[in-house]
């Protein structure tokens, strides 16, 4: 790693660091992170902070109960968000800005571009963006669900050079260190595959608060965009001193040698499919090159309800995922034309309204 090459860094901080006892925000662990951010900025590095913790920060303002329903959790997030922002503000002598996002904001291309522009404008004017998922208004359909993956999406949108995910352990171990005394820390991961994901365990893995699996998912998203990614122990100030010295204090995930293009990365890792088009098993897998050749004869079925411009999944009848793409037709119209003779479709629809899918709006899933 070469810190001198970093121009923009995204740092993800979790709830356990913000409100370790769920009794409001504490600066105990945040001070060293804030000092790290200050030193990065002093070295000319722009910083974006993705901060969890609104629910944990606001929990103490409400009666303790074993049955925390969704509405109460949203109320905790609303109350805790202001306290969390105030805590960060006290630690800096430069301005900060709050950005609250849902996955609905990120998966819509126009809003995604708007988010990018806002982040760039803040950074270019010396303002620190502090980003969190908007838990107060998000729904199951619109939420990212965890800030590890959110931080990777933000890092991609901000064209970051590095993503630093703060955990409660030193990094990724080959097995759960809380159970196995012989667990070994992996200092570097060059390829994220099923073996690496197996080391992360499930969502409730004791390897990391919030789950090591989501951190690996985030690393996969970030590294495919060419972003240096680290999982470090956020409870240790030594982690940040090591990073400033150009040393790796945790697990370093090496980025792709040939990163995905920004639009392809957004479609593959951020845009969520609203439906799917199933094609026959003989369909040409070079779809990303010959995208405008999809015909009604090749469509087996159309699943889900989607509108013009929505992202859809293309898969073969045998289940093979081919690509994610932007549909030029609604599911209703596409279902209709799929039942028509291809020659009739070509004459009546395609010449008048264009292709089913344009090759400029496709991200291959088979070749990544």
């Amino acid at each position: 790693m070469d810190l001198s090459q970093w121009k923009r860094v995204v740092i993800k901080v979790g709830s356990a660091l913000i409100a370790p006892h769920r009794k409001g925000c504490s600066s105990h662990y945040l001070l060293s992170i804030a000092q790290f951010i200050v030193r990065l900025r002093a070295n000319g590095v722009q910083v974006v902070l993705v901060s969890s913790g609104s629910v944990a920060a606001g929990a103490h303002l409400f009666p303790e109960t074993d049955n925390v329903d969704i509405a109460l959790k949203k109320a905790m997030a609303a109350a805790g968000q202001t306290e969390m922002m105030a805590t960060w503000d006290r630690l800096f002598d430069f301005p900060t800005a709050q950005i609250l996002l849902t996955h609905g904001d990120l998966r819509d291309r126009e809003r995604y571009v708007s988010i990018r522009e806002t982040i760039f404008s803040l950074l270019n004017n010396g303002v620190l963006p502090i980003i969190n998922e908007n838990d107060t208004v998000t729904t199951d359909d619109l939420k990212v669900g965890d800030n590890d993956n959110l931080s990777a999406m933000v890092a991609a949108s901000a064209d970051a050079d590095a993503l630093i995910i703060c955990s409660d352990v030193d990094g990724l171990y080959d097995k759960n260190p809380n159970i196995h005394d012989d667990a070994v820390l992996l200092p570097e991961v060059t390829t994220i595959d099923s073996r690496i994901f197996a080391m992360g365990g499930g969502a409730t893995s004791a390897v990391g608060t919030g789950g090591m699996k989501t951190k690996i998912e985030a690393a996969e998203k970030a590294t495919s965009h060419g972003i240096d990614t680290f999982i470090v122990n956020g409870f240790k100030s030594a982690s940040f001193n090591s990073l400033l010295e150009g040393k790796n204090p945790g697990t370093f995930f090496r980025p792709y040698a040939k990163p995905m293009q920004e639009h392809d990365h957004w479609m593959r890792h951020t845009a969520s499919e609203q439906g799917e088009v199933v094609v026959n098993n003989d369909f040409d897998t070079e779809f990303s090159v010959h995208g405008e050749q999809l015909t009604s004869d090749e469509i087996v079925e159309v699943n889900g309800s989607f509108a013009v411009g929505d992202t859809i999944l293309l898969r073969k009848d045998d289940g093979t995922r081919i690509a994610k793409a932007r549909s030029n037709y609604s599911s209703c119209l596409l279902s209709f034309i799929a039942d028509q003779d291809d020659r009739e479709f070509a004459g009546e629809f395609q010449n008048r309204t264009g292709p089913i899918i344009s090759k400029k709006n496709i991200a291959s899933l088979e070749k990544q």
Side-chain angles (χ1 to χ4, degrees):
M1 57 179 277
D2 187 355
L3 186 66
S4 65
Q5 300 300 311
W6 292 355
K7 302 301 180 184
R8 188 172 299 139
V9 173
V10 173
I11 302 171
K12 185 267 175 177
V13 178
S15 299
L17 290 162
I18 298 288
H21 307 295
R22 293 181 67 87
K23 295 181 179 179
C25 293
S26 170
S27 61
H28 182 74
Y29 298 113
L30 303 186
L31 184 58
S32 59
I33 298 174
Q35 291 173 337
F36 177 57
I37 292 173
V38 170
R39 293 174 68 182
L40 283 175
R41 285 169 55 103
N43 288 328
V45 179
Q46 295 179 330
V47 180
V48 178
L49 177 62
V50 176
S51 178
S52 305
S54 60
V55 175
H60 72 289
L61 300 173
F62 298 83
E64 291 189 17
T65 175
D66 294 330
N67 299 313
V68 179
D69 60 22
I70 296 299
L72 182 56
K73 184 174 289 188
K74 289 176 181 292
M76 291 177 178
Q81 184 67 29
T82 57
E83 183 174 340
M84 186 179 75
M85 285 298 299
T87 299
W88 282 118
D89 270 336
R90 286 195 296 270
L91 296 174
F92 300 121
D93 59 357
F94 46 79
T96 64
Q98 174 181 258
I99 302 177
L100 296 176
L101 303 175
T102 69
H103 197 229
D105 300 315
L106 293 164
R107 74 188 186 198
D108 181 276
R109 183 63 186 176
E110 185 175 351
R111 286 148 70 184
Y112 179 84
V113 172
S114 178
I115 292 165
R116 279 170 56 88
E117 292 172 347
T118 299
I119 292 173
F120 294 152
S121 293
L122 290 169
L123 292 173
N124 291 337
N125 286 279
V127 181
L128 172 70
I130 301 179
I131 300 175
N132 193 11
E133 184 155 23
N134 195 348
D135 293 319
T136 301
V137 302
T138 193
T139 62
D140 287 341
D141 182 54
L142 295 177
K143 68 181 180 181
V144 176
D146 66 90
N147 272 10
D148 293 322
N149 277 288
L150 177 64
S151 69
M153 295 176 188
V154 168
S157 71
D159 292 336
D161 300 298
L163 169 63
I164 300 168
I165 301 175
C166 298
S167 181
D168 62 349
V169 290
D170 290 342
L172 176 64
Y173 288 80
D174 63 347
K175 61 186 75 172
N176 191 330
N178 294 320
I179 300 175
H180 304 279
D181 292 336
D182 61 343
V184 177
L185 176 69
L186 276 63
E188 183 171 323
V189 174
T190 57
T191 303
I192 299 175
D193 52 22
S194 58
R195 182 181 65 89
I196 296 298
F197 272 106
M199 295 177 187
T204 58
S205 171
V207 176
T209 301
M212 184 59 70
K213 182 178 179 181
T214 60
K215 293 172 176 57
I216 298 173
E217 290 172 349
E220 183 179 40
K221 288 180 173 65
T223 54
S224 67
H225 200 268
I227 300 170
D228 291 347
T229 304
F230 296 83
I231 297 176
V232 304
N233 195 325
F235 291 84
K236 297 180 177 179
S237 59
S239 298
F240 307 107
N241 293 331
S242 294
L243 286 168
L244 288 168
E245 294 169 0
K247 301 176 183 177
N248 172 21
T251 299
F252 170 52
F253 293 82
R254 188 169 292 280
Y256 282 27
K258 295 182 178 179
M260 297 177 66
Q261 295 296 313
E262 187 274 326
H263 187 275
D264 288 347
H265 187 277
W266 169 80
M267 185 166 286
R268 179 177 169 87
H269 289 297
T270 301
S272 58
E273 57 262 27
Q274 304 304 297
E276 67 176 14
V277 172
V278 182
V279 297
N280 58 50
N281 291 332
D282 295 329
F283 183 75
D284 183 6
T285 56
E286 294 294 320
F287 188 71
S288 61
V289 177
H290 306 292
E292 296 179 356
Q293 294 183 359
L294 176 62
T295 65
S296 62
D297 280 350
E298 294 168 315
I299 298 176
V300 176
E301 61 180 322
V302 177
N303 298 321
S305 177
F306 51 88
V308 174
D310 281 348
T311 300
I312 59 173
L313 171 69
L314 296 174
R315 70 169 176 86
K316 291 186 177 181
D317 202 19
D318 63 8
T320 303
R321 292 164 59 90
I322 302 172
K324 289 170 72 173
R326 178 178 177 177
S327 177
N328 293 330
Y329 292 81
S330 68
S331 54
C332 181
L333 181 56
L334 200 53
S335 295
F336 169 74
I337 64 176
D339 293 333
Q340 309 304 307
D341 178 79
D342 189 55
R343 188 173 301 169
E344 178 183 346
F345 161 71
E348 184 176 350
F349 291 97
Q350 194 166 19
N351 290 339
R352 179 163 48 114
T353 59
I356 296 173
I357 292 167
S358 302
K359 59 186 177 183
K360 66 179 180 179
N361 291 321
I362 301 165
S364 173
L365 299 178
E366 291 191 312
K367 297 182 178 180
Q368 303 302 326

